Every structure is written in C-alpha cells, then in structure tokens.
Amino acid sequence: MRKLSDAELERYFIPGNRFTPEAVEAAFEILTERGRLFSESEKIFIREMILAKKQQDETRTNQEKEVWKDYITTDPSAIKLYSRNTILIISLVFGTIPGSILLFLNLVTVKRYTAAALTLLIGFGFFFLQQYILSTAPHDGRFNTKYNLEIGILALGAVLLLVMSVVAMPKKLAYQAKSPILPIVLSVLSIIMYILFKESLSGYPIMSVFRLLGSF
C-alpha cells in the first residue's frame, strides 16, 4: 500500500467502500506518516468506519459458523433426523453409499426430493468413481500411494455430502437425533461388503482395521 499515491489512499475513506478495516487503518497511518493532517471530525469518521467494518466482518463470520452448526435439540416435538456428524463419520469410515442413504432419508423427511435424489447419485457415483480412478490412474504400485489415492477420493466424497447437507437442508433447523440403529445396520452391511469384495474396497479406513487385526 505504501506504493499508492495519496489520492489512491484517500479512496479508502469513501463511504461504502469494500476495503477491509485493516486496509482502511493502514491507509490512515500511511497518510499520517506522509504529513496528511486529519481534522477531528475526519478522525472520528475513519474510526467509526473501521469499527463498523470490523463489526460487519464479525457478523459475517458468526453467520458462516451458524450455517455449519448442527442444531441438535432434546425438544420432543422437534423433527427427527440423522445427525450431520453421524453422516460424516459413516461416510469417511464406511464409504459414501451408507452416508448418502442417511442424508437421503433426512432430505426426504424435510421434503427436499430433488436434493435427496442428487445425494444418492453422489453417494453411489463416488463409489464407482473411486473404483474407476484406481483402475485407470497411473501410480507406482506401492501400497502407500494406492492407499492415499483411495482415502483422498473417499474424503472428497464425504466432504461433498457434508456440503450437500449444509446447502440443501433448511437453515438452523432444530432436530432430535434419530436412533443409531440404521447407521449401525449400514455399517455392518459395509463390513459384509468388505468381506465379499476385499480388493475393491481396500482403501476404506475400516478395512485397515481388519488388516491390522489379521496381522496378529
């Protein structure tokens, strides 16, 4: 900013500008160092502008946090859904298919049918995408390289389901966490799939547990 002319720095004090509070403060300090004399009313105006911008940034940050917050309640009258954390953990450990099924049921419950259908496409699509990439992508054949690639694709699918949950579900919806019975059943089915298709599902974290147990 020190390379900017005085006229360019003065633009930082124009009402409604989009500069950050730190940039406005820096412009004020640079102009003061250059000998620009600010009247008391100008100083008050600039201080208020900086304070207002900081408050706007804080409000924006809090709003972003609220979007990602999971509003679980014990209110018996609240709607029942599978928690976001449950869906994320299931997706990371057991794959996007069981995670997408849980999110699909949530979206159907709140009548977001288009998003529900898209969720299933994502869940099943990422499973087949993982198999396709692993069968075609070049790698050096070492276990670590293959494993990292599998985990990377798996994590991407889980994050995508998380984003879908944030975007498609009603904002700030308070709900009761549903029984963990279905997530447990889906997890057990995923383990059975591992037993039947060890090679295809070798990259899932739960499969590493099996490998470790098998080494004892």
PDB file of all heavy atoms in Angstrom, residues 3-21:
ATOM      1  N   LYS A   3       3.114   2.009  -1.872  1.00  0.00           N
ATOM      2  CA  LYS A   3       3.401   2.439  -3.242  1.00  0.00           C
ATOM      3  C   LYS A   3       2.266   3.266  -3.832  1.00  0.00           C
ATOM      4  O   LYS A   3       2.425   3.868  -4.891  1.00  0.00           O
ATOM      5  CB  LYS A   3       3.660   1.210  -4.117  1.00  0.00           C
ATOM      6  CG  LYS A   3       4.911   0.420  -3.725  1.00  0.00           C
ATOM      7  CD  LYS A   3       5.109  -0.773  -4.634  1.00  0.00           C
ATOM      8  CE  LYS A   3       6.355  -1.566  -4.255  1.00  0.00           C
ATOM      9  NZ  LYS A   3       6.558  -2.743  -5.148  1.00  0.00           N
ATOM     10  N   LEU A   4       1.104   3.262  -3.159  1.00  0.00           N
ATOM     11  CA  LEU A   4      -0.044   4.007  -3.663  1.00  0.00           C
ATOM     12  C   LEU A   4       0.137   5.498  -3.422  1.00  0.00           C
ATOM     13  O   LEU A   4       0.776   5.929  -2.458  1.00  0.00           O
ATOM     14  CB  LEU A   4      -1.325   3.527  -2.974  1.00  0.00           C
ATOM     15  CG  LEU A   4      -1.712   2.062  -3.174  1.00  0.00           C
ATOM     16  CD1 LEU A   4      -2.966   1.732  -2.380  1.00  0.00           C
ATOM     17  CD2 LEU A   4      -1.925   1.755  -4.652  1.00  0.00           C
ATOM     18  N   SER A   5      -0.439   6.305  -4.306  1.00  0.00           N
ATOM     19  CA  SER A   5      -0.392   7.754  -4.149  1.00  0.00           C
ATOM     20  C   SER A   5      -1.360   8.194  -3.062  1.00  0.00           C
ATOM     21  O   SER A   5      -2.221   7.417  -2.619  1.00  0.00           O
ATOM     22  CB  SER A   5      -0.753   8.435  -5.467  1.00  0.00           C
ATOM     23  OG  SER A   5      -2.118   8.171  -5.787  1.00  0.00           O
ATOM     24  N   ASP A   6      -1.229   9.451  -2.637  1.00  0.00           N
ATOM     25  CA  ASP A   6      -2.142   9.975  -1.613  1.00  0.00           C
ATOM     26  C   ASP A   6      -3.588   9.912  -2.092  1.00  0.00           C
ATOM     27  O   ASP A   6      -4.492   9.577  -1.317  1.00  0.00           O
ATOM     28  CB  ASP A   6      -1.769  11.419  -1.274  1.00  0.00           C
ATOM     29  CG  ASP A   6      -0.455  11.513  -0.503  1.00  0.00           C
ATOM     30  OD1 ASP A   6       0.147  10.450  -0.257  1.00  0.00           O
ATOM     31  OD2 ASP A   6      -0.044  12.631  -0.155  1.00  0.00           O
ATOM     32  N   ALA A   7      -3.807  10.246  -3.364  1.00  0.00           N
ATOM     33  CA  ALA A   7      -5.171  10.246  -3.910  1.00  0.00           C
ATOM     34  C   ALA A   7      -5.770   8.844  -3.880  1.00  0.00           C
ATOM     35  O   ALA A   7      -6.954   8.653  -3.595  1.00  0.00           O
ATOM     36  CB  ALA A   7      -5.161  10.794  -5.335  1.00  0.00           C
ATOM     37  N   GLU A   8      -4.920   7.849  -4.179  1.00  0.00           N
ATOM     38  CA  GLU A   8      -5.405   6.467  -4.161  1.00  0.00           C
ATOM     39  C   GLU A   8      -5.722   6.014  -2.739  1.00  0.00           C
ATOM     40  O   GLU A   8      -6.698   5.293  -2.497  1.00  0.00           O
ATOM     41  CB  GLU A   8      -4.361   5.546  -4.789  1.00  0.00           C
ATOM     42  CG  GLU A   8      -4.224   5.721  -6.300  1.00  0.00           C
ATOM     43  CD  GLU A   8      -3.080   4.926  -6.880  1.00  0.00           C
ATOM     44  OE1 GLU A   8      -2.002   4.893  -6.257  1.00  0.00           O
ATOM     45  OE2 GLU A   8      -3.256   4.318  -7.959  1.00  0.00           O
ATOM     46  N   LEU A   9      -4.924   6.447  -1.779  1.00  0.00           N
ATOM     47  CA  LEU A   9      -5.173   6.081  -0.385  1.00  0.00           C
ATOM     48  C   LEU A   9      -6.423   6.762   0.156  1.00  0.00           C
ATOM     49  O   LEU A   9      -7.117   6.206   1.013  1.00  0.00           O
ATOM     50  CB  LEU A   9      -3.959   6.435   0.479  1.00  0.00           C
ATOM     51  CG  LEU A   9      -2.706   5.586   0.241  1.00  0.00           C
ATOM     52  CD1 LEU A   9      -1.524   6.136   1.032  1.00  0.00           C
ATOM     53  CD2 LEU A   9      -2.951   4.137   0.640  1.00  0.00           C
ATOM     54  N   GLU A  10      -6.706   7.954  -0.329  1.00  0.00           N
ATOM     55  CA  GLU A  10      -7.899   8.679   0.117  1.00  0.00           C
ATOM     56  C   GLU A  10      -9.180   7.919  -0.246  1.00  0.00           C
ATOM     57  O   GLU A  10     -10.208   8.068   0.416  1.00  0.00           O
ATOM     58  CB  GLU A  10      -7.941  10.075  -0.517  1.00  0.00           C
ATOM     59  CG  GLU A  10      -6.880  11.046  -0.030  1.00  0.00           C
ATOM     60  CD  GLU A  10      -7.201  11.640   1.338  1.00  0.00           C
ATOM     61  OE1 GLU A  10      -8.320  11.381   1.834  1.00  0.00           O
ATOM     62  OE2 GLU A  10      -6.340  12.330   1.897  1.00  0.00           O
ATOM     63  N   ARG A  11      -9.100   7.090  -1.284  1.00  0.00           N
ATOM     64  CA  ARG A  11     -10.274   6.305  -1.686  1.00  0.00           C
ATOM     65  C   ARG A  11     -10.705   5.319  -0.617  1.00  0.00           C
ATOM     66  O   ARG A  11     -11.842   4.872  -0.592  1.00  0.00           O
ATOM     67  CB  ARG A  11      -9.974   5.556  -2.987  1.00  0.00           C
ATOM     68  CG  ARG A  11      -9.747   6.450  -4.209  1.00  0.00           C
ATOM     69  CD  ARG A  11      -9.186   5.663  -5.378  1.00  0.00           C
ATOM     70  NE  ARG A  11      -9.964   4.454  -5.636  1.00  0.00           N
ATOM     71  CZ  ARG A  11      -9.513   3.395  -6.287  1.00  0.00           C
ATOM     72  NH1 ARG A  11      -8.266   3.391  -6.735  1.00  0.00           N
ATOM     73  NH2 ARG A  11     -10.286   2.340  -6.503  1.00  0.00           N
ATOM     74  N   TYR A  12      -9.775   4.993   0.283  1.00  0.00           N
ATOM     75  CA  TYR A  12     -10.091   4.036   1.345  1.00  0.00           C
ATOM     76  C   TYR A  12     -11.062   4.619   2.374  1.00  0.00           C
ATOM     77  O   TYR A  12     -11.600   3.889   3.199  1.00  0.00           O
ATOM     78  CB  TYR A  12      -8.808   3.580   2.049  1.00  0.00           C
ATOM     79  CG  TYR A  12      -7.999   2.591   1.256  1.00  0.00           C
ATOM     80  CD1 TYR A  12      -7.341   2.974   0.081  1.00  0.00           C
ATOM     81  CD2 TYR A  12      -7.887   1.264   1.651  1.00  0.00           C
ATOM     82  CE1 TYR A  12      -6.597   2.066  -0.663  1.00  0.00           C
ATOM     83  CE2 TYR A  12      -7.147   0.339   0.923  1.00  0.00           C
ATOM     84  CZ  TYR A  12      -6.508   0.758  -0.239  1.00  0.00           C
ATOM     85  OH  TYR A  12      -5.771  -0.147  -0.980  1.00  0.00           O
ATOM     86  N   PHE A  13     -11.292   5.925   2.307  1.00  0.00           N
ATOM     87  CA  PHE A  13     -12.184   6.570   3.273  1.00  0.00           C
ATOM     88  C   PHE A  13     -13.540   6.928   2.663  1.00  0.00           C
ATOM     89  O   PHE A  13     -14.381   7.548   3.313  1.00  0.00           O
ATOM     90  CB  PHE A  13     -11.525   7.843   3.829  1.00  0.00           C
ATOM     91  CG  PHE A  13     -10.121   7.632   4.311  1.00  0.00           C
ATOM     92  CD1 PHE A  13      -9.094   8.487   3.934  1.00  0.00           C
ATOM     93  CD2 PHE A  13      -9.812   6.549   5.130  1.00  0.00           C
ATOM     94  CE1 PHE A  13      -7.798   8.286   4.376  1.00  0.00           C
ATOM     95  CE2 PHE A  13      -8.512   6.332   5.567  1.00  0.00           C
ATOM     96  CZ  PHE A  13      -7.497   7.204   5.186  1.00  0.00           C
ATOM     97  N   ILE A  14     -13.744   6.544   1.404  1.00  0.00           N
ATOM     98  CA  ILE A  14     -15.022   6.820   0.754  1.00  0.00           C
ATOM     99  C   ILE A  14     -16.100   5.941   1.387  1.00  0.00           C
ATOM    100  O   ILE A  14     -15.924   4.732   1.514  1.00  0.00           O
ATOM    101  CB  ILE A  14     -14.943   6.539  -0.755  1.00  0.00           C
ATOM    102  CG1 ILE A  14     -13.913   7.466  -1.415  1.00  0.00           C
ATOM    103  CG2 ILE A  14     -16.311   6.709  -1.417  1.00  0.00           C
ATOM    104  CD1 ILE A  14     -13.678   7.178  -2.887  1.00  0.00           C
ATOM    105  N   PRO A  15     -17.233   6.526   1.791  1.00  0.00           N
ATOM    106  CA  PRO A  15     -18.310   5.730   2.409  1.00  0.00           C
ATOM    107  C   PRO A  15     -18.787   4.608   1.481  1.00  0.00           C
ATOM    108  O   PRO A  15     -18.904   4.797   0.270  1.00  0.00           O
ATOM    109  CB  PRO A  15     -19.429   6.758   2.636  1.00  0.00           C
ATOM    110  CG  PRO A  15     -18.712   8.064   2.729  1.00  0.00           C
ATOM    111  CD  PRO A  15     -17.552   7.966   1.770  1.00  0.00           C
ATOM    112  N   GLY A  16     -18.993   3.418   2.048  1.00  0.00           N
ATOM    113  CA  GLY A  16     -19.490   2.291   1.263  1.00  0.00           C
ATOM    114  C   GLY A  16     -18.404   1.525   0.533  1.00  0.00           C
ATOM    115  O   GLY A  16     -18.718   0.602  -0.243  1.00  0.00           O
ATOM    116  N   ASN A  17     -17.121   1.878   0.760  1.00  0.00           N
ATOM    117  CA  ASN A  17     -16.051   1.144   0.067  1.00  0.00           C
ATOM    118  C   ASN A  17     -15.980  -0.289   0.589  1.00  0.00           C
ATOM    119  O   ASN A  17     -16.469  -0.604   1.672  1.00  0.00           O
ATOM    120  CB  ASN A  17     -14.708   1.858   0.256  1.00  0.00           C
ATOM    121  CG  ASN A  17     -14.181   1.745   1.676  1.00  0.00           C
ATOM    122  OD1 ASN A  17     -13.727   0.697   2.119  1.00  0.00           O
ATOM    123  ND2 ASN A  17     -14.267   2.859   2.417  1.00  0.00           N
ATOM    124  N   ARG A  18     -15.336  -1.169  -0.200  1.00  0.00           N
ATOM    125  CA  ARG A  18     -15.259  -2.589   0.132  1.00  0.00           C
ATOM    126  C   ARG A  18     -13.915  -2.997   0.697  1.00  0.00           C
ATOM    127  O   ARG A  18     -13.611  -4.182   0.799  1.00  0.00           O
ATOM    128  CB  ARG A  18     -15.579  -3.430  -1.109  1.00  0.00           C
ATOM    129  CG  ARG A  18     -16.998  -3.218  -1.634  1.00  0.00           C
ATOM    130  CD  ARG A  18     -17.294  -4.158  -2.779  1.00  0.00           C
ATOM    131  NE  ARG A  18     -18.672  -4.007  -3.248  1.00  0.00           N
ATOM    132  CZ  ARG A  18     -19.216  -4.728  -4.227  1.00  0.00           C
ATOM    133  NH1 ARG A  18     -18.486  -5.666  -4.827  1.00  0.00           N
ATOM    134  NH2 ARG A  18     -20.451  -4.525  -4.593  1.00  0.00           N
ATOM    135  N   PHE A  19     -13.110  -2.035   1.087  1.00  0.00           N
ATOM    136  CA  PHE A  19     -11.810  -2.357   1.656  1.00  0.00           C
ATOM    137  C   PHE A  19     -11.973  -2.906   3.071  1.00  0.00           C
ATOM    138  O   PHE A  19     -12.926  -2.587   3.778  1.00  0.00           O
ATOM    139  CB  PHE A  19     -10.915  -1.116   1.681  1.00  0.00           C
ATOM    140  CG  PHE A  19     -10.606  -0.562   0.311  1.00  0.00           C
ATOM    141  CD1 PHE A  19     -11.088   0.675  -0.077  1.00  0.00           C
ATOM    142  CD2 PHE A  19      -9.840  -1.291  -0.583  1.00  0.00           C
ATOM    143  CE1 PHE A  19     -10.817   1.187  -1.333  1.00  0.00           C
ATOM    144  CE2 PHE A  19      -9.557  -0.788  -1.855  1.00  0.00           C
ATOM    145  CZ  PHE A  19     -10.054   0.453  -2.220  1.00  0.00           C
ATOM    146  N   THR A  20     -11.024  -3.749   3.470  1.00  0.00           N
ATOM    147  CA  THR A  20     -11.072  -4.331   4.808  1.00  0.00           C
ATOM    148  C   THR A  20     -10.766  -3.260   5.854  1.00  0.00           C
ATOM    149  O   THR A  20     -10.133  -2.234   5.544  1.00  0.00           O
ATOM    150  CB  THR A  20     -10.043  -5.463   4.950  1.00  0.00           C
ATOM    151  OG1 THR A  20      -8.716  -4.910   4.841  1.00  0.00           O
ATOM    152  CG2 THR A  20     -10.259  -6.526   3.883  1.00  0.00           C
ATOM    153  N   PRO A  21     -11.192  -3.478   7.113  1.00  0.00           N
ATOM    154  CA  PRO A  21     -10.879  -2.495   8.163  1.00  0.00           C
ATOM    155  C   PRO A  21      -9.378  -2.320   8.350  1.00  0.00           C
ATOM    156  O   PRO A  21      -8.909  -1.212   8.649  1.00  0.00           O
ATOM    157  CB  PRO A  21     -11.550  -3.089   9.411  1.00  0.00           C
ATOM    158  CG  PRO A  21     -11.777  -4.537   9.103  1.00  0.00           C
ATOM    159  CD  PRO A  21     -12.002  -4.591   7.635  1.00  0.00           C
TER     160      PRO A  21
END
